[in-house]
Amino acid sequence: MGTLYLVRHGQASFGADDYDQLSELGRRQSVRLGEYFAERGIRFDALIAGTLRRHKQTLEGILKGMNHAGEHLSWEGLNEYDSAAVIATVHPHKLEKPTSPETYRHHFRLLRDGLARWMAGDASPAGMPTYPQFVAGVTGALDHVRASHYGQSVLVVSSGGPISTAVGQVLQTPPETTIELNLRIRNTSITEFAFTPKRHMLVSYNAVPHLDGPEYKDWVTYA
């Protein structure tokens, strides 16, 4: 058996001009996760990450917390979908930045509707792959892990879309369930798979054990 740890990036800059940048809290979350791995004696034989800045910054923070250095494999298939392009398929007008609980809820209702259309093949978000192509990017990474790292411990840093897609493919969930998994995933959460050369098996999803202490009660975020 091998063990695959899929980690969602730390809190990014939701609502800012450049989302693809960890917030100060996102950086602290990442370092804290690395400290947790070190406390548990968890070490990795291989490191893989998407190519987005928030993926690389999260991995850097984890390694800093572990007091460990290592080269990683960059994998474009682990990059997130473009949420603005997805929303534009159901709301073609400029969407104002969310500033209140209601506007945040409105944003994610539109995202849910746009994801459903994209996954069903009813919409083609600008500049994005088709949903089957997106899935292929994720399953390609899973295939690589099984083929190249059997019996090893592997860390993958990615985003909510690819991680929920990986879970959906392994469990064969319907698109509606994959969307709900996606929209509830927490920053720096751990999704663990056991794997053999033939298949992955889900062990846990969306766990944040590194943030269990009362001193971290305000560190749990979703964006």
Side-chain angles (χ1 to χ4, degrees):
M1 271 309 168
T3 302
L4 170 61
Y5 298 88
L6 277 166
V7 170
R8 188 191 178 199
H9 60 80
Q11 184 190 55
S13 301
F14 185 72
D17 291 335
D18 183 6
Y19 173 76
D20 192 22
Q21 182 83 22
L22 290 192
S23 68
E24 182 55 38
L25 176 56
R27 293 179 186 275
R28 296 200 304 270
Q29 290 169 333
S30 304
V31 173
R32 174 63 198 130
L33 178 55
E35 293 171 346
Y36 169 83
F37 285 141
E39 292 163 2
R40 294 296 186 275
I42 298 172
R43 308 295 283 185
F44 301 108
D45 300 296
L47 305 170
I48 306 173
T51 65
L52 301 177
R53 268 185 299 170
R54 58 189 184 271
H55 299 155
K56 296 175 183 178
Q57 291 168 349
T58 300
L59 179 57
E60 289 169 1
I62 292 171
L63 295 178
K64 178 180 179 180
M66 295 179 71
N67 193 27
H68 178 73
E71 296 296 320
H72 76 276
L73 173 65
S74 294
W75 197 283
E76 287 191 7
L78 293 169
N79 289 351
E80 185 62 288
Y81 54 77
D82 182 342
S83 61
V86 171
I87 289 173
T89 65
V90 294
H91 189 278
H93 308 294
K94 180 176 174 57
L95 191 64
E96 296 301 320
K97 295 177 182 178
T99 57
S100 67
E102 178 52 38
T103 55
Y104 274 98
R105 287 192 291 269
H106 179 60
H107 174 94
F108 285 104
R109 281 195 296 268
L110 292 173
L111 179 58
R112 180 182 283 106
D113 292 345
L115 286 172
R117 295 195 68 224
W118 174 49
M119 294 167 79
D122 296 332
S124 300
M128 278 179 46
T130 64
Y131 184 64
Q133 290 169 335
F134 181 82
V135 170
V138 175
T139 57
L142 295 179
D143 292 345
H144 168 79
V145 169
R146 288 200 315 275
S148 303
H149 299 292
Y150 175 59
Q152 296 183 338
S153 179
V154 181
L155 173 66
V156 167
V157 178
S158 182
S159 291
I163 293 172
S164 59
T165 297
V167 172
Q169 291 298 300
V170 169
L171 299 183
Q172 298 184 333
T173 64
E176 297 80 7
T177 301
T178 301
I179 292 172
E180 293 307 315
L181 290 171
N182 181 183
L183 297 182
R184 299 311 304 167
I185 191 166
R186 297 175 286 195
N187 295 115
T188 64
S189 64
I190 306 165
T191 294
E192 182 181 345
F193 288 104
F195 66 91
T196 70
K198 292 186 177 181
R199 67 189 182 111
H200 281 84
M201 294 147 283
L202 182 65
V203 176
S204 63
Y205 177 71
N206 198 24
V208 286
H210 55 299
L211 303 180
D212 275 349
E215 65 270 38
Y216 305 117
K217 64 183 178 65
D218 297 324
W219 287 35
V220 178
T221 58
Y222 293 83

